Amino acid sequence: MNFVIAATYDSYIDAHLAMGNLLSENINCWLKDENTIAIHPGLINAIGGIKLMVAEPQAERALEILRNTKRRYQEQNPCPNCGSINVEYISTPKKASNWLVTFVNVVRHGGAQMAVEKVYHCFDCGFEFEDAGSNTKT
Ligand SMILES: [Zn+2]
């Protein structure tokens, strides 16, 4: 059977969560390169992350499940600034004290060796935040 890449993950945990979602929907899937990452976590960027492979005939359904999962997650984590759910969890170069330091690091190291951190980025207002959950007041 042919398998296609449905998604790539730079986190072992995210990859397994996604695979678990698909398996519970009877999607035939597996993770490519997860063993490599497990043994050499530093290679995760070099090899392009862990690939979630799904059986080609089920790929469309798999993508829909992944989209729905992501959407549910976004709805639970709206932008704390404007309330938009047009929010993406992205990798960003670790915040430097000023933009010049960031720029110099990018030039010197091509960006690839920089430490990155994950933040939520709101595409509606540009606000960035680390974890929406911790901002909710009840
Ligand atoms: Zn926003």
Side-chain angles (χ1 to χ4, degrees):
M1 193 185 295
N2 259 346
F3 284 84
V4 295
I5 299 173
T8 59
Y9 298 90
D10 54 14
S11 145
Y12 190 81
I13 295 163
D14 289 347
H16 271 266
L17 283 177
M19 182 173 72
N21 276 333
L22 294 189
L23 288 175
S24 70
E25 302 276 346
N26 295 316
I27 302 280
N28 188 356
C29 63
W30 53 284
L31 297 176
K32 190 181 179 186
D33 293 332
E34 73 160 326
N35 291 331
T36 313
I37 304 292
I39 300 166
H40 304 289
L43 286 180
I44 199 152
N45 289 322
I47 64 172
I50 300 171
K51 288 93 174 170
L52 178 58
M53 309 298 293
V54 299
E56 198 168 15
Q58 296 177 306
E60 205 166 310
R61 195 157 148 255
L63 288 176
E64 198 182 313
I65 294 164
L66 292 175
R67 265 199 303 272
N68 287 341
T69 307
K70 188 175 159 191
R71 184 166 187 86
R72 264 204 307 278
Y73 188 78
Q74 286 176 320
E75 281 166 1
Q76 287 164 5
N77 296 278
C79 172
N81 192 44
C82 71
S84 165
I85 61 160
N86 192 11
V87 169
E88 195 88 45
Y89 198 43
I90 57 165
S91 299
T92 181
K94 212 161 187 64
K95 286 186 188 72
S97 48
N98 64 55
W99 67 269
L100 186 61
V101 174
T102 309
F103 180 73
V104 169
N105 279 336
V106 168
V107 171
R108 279 198 187 144
H109 305 298
Q113 289 164 7
M114 292 177 68
V116 292
E117 62 182 349
K118 302 276 270 185
V119 295
Y120 294 92
H121 177 86
C122 173
F123 287 96
D124 283 350
C125 71
F127 190 67
E128 285 185 349
F129 52 104
E130 283 184 12
D131 188 353
S134 61
N135 289 328
T136 44
K137 299 177 197 85
T138 33

